[in-house]
Amino acid sequence: MKITGQATSDIFKKNSVQLNIVASEEDQEVKGKPEKYSGIYKELVELLGEAATMKVWKRFAGLNITFPQKLYSEEYRKDFIRNNMDEMKSSEIARILGLTERRIRQIIAEIRTD
């Protein structure tokens, strides 16, 4: 399996990294048969594979789970902005972190006053 990363904001709603997976015939077998699963589990098998789906099911079966929009911690976001604010445009940083350009400019102002 070959995995490459590239910046994106479209695929997973503002995630910073998209994994492109090139699957061999062996990898297809590991993925399992999504058609035997129902609802969200079918999608998880297609995305993660059967083994990972079973782990998720065993750990979270019966729970209602929501995923917050903010993927990254406040500390990580601030460090990322601090490390990239001179090399990248605010719009690029905003896209990667899933924040607005206005919020990025506010954080940059906070960093500069600290």
Side-chain angles (χ1 to χ4, degrees), residues 4 10 13 19 23 28 37-38 43 66 71 87 92 95 111 113:
T4 58
D10 299 328
K13 289 191 178 177
L19 296 179
Q28 292 294 337
Y37 295 97
S38 65
E43 293 180 46
T66 58
L71 178 62
E87 291 87 29
E92 292 174 298
R95 186 181 67 246
I111 290 170
T113 60

Side-chain angles (χ1 to χ4, degrees), residues 7-9 14-16 72 76-105 107-108 111-112:
T8 184
S9 62
K14 300 180 183 174
N15 273 1
S16 65
Y72 302 111
Y76 174 80
R77 290 191 313 258
K78 198 167 190 173
D79 287 342
F80 183 87
I81 293 167
R82 183 180 293 113
N83 294 332
N84 294 287
M85 65 187 195
D86 295 325
E87 291 87 29
M88 297 174 74
K89 295 179 181 180
S90 295
S91 60
E92 292 174 298
I93 296 172
R95 186 181 67 246
I96 290 169
L97 295 179
L99 299 172
T100 64
E101 287 183 57
R102 180 179 178 191
R103 182 65 184 131
I104 297 300
R105 289 190 299 273
I107 295 170
I108 289 172
I111 290 170
R112 289 189 173 143

Side-chain angles (χ1 to χ4, degrees), residues 30-91:
V30 173
K31 286 279 188 181
K33 297 181 178 175
E35 62 275 359
K36 75 180 188 180
Y37 295 97
S38 65
I40 190 68
Y41 298 112
K42 181 178 180 178
E43 293 180 46
L44 286 173
V45 169
E46 291 170 350
L47 181 65
L48 304 173
E50 196 166 11
T53 300
M54 292 304 291
K55 286 182 182 179
V56 169
W57 176 76
K58 286 178 183 176
R59 176 75 167 100
F60 300 108
L63 297 176
N64 289 321
I65 300 173
T66 58
F67 292 93
Q69 288 290 326
K70 291 182 182 175
L71 178 62
Y72 302 111
S73 70
E74 187 175 334
E75 296 81 25
Y76 174 80
R77 290 191 313 258
K78 198 167 190 173
D79 287 342
F80 183 87
I81 293 167
R82 183 180 293 113
N83 294 332
N84 294 287
M85 65 187 195
D86 295 325
E87 291 87 29
M88 297 174 74
K89 295 179 181 180
S90 295
S91 60

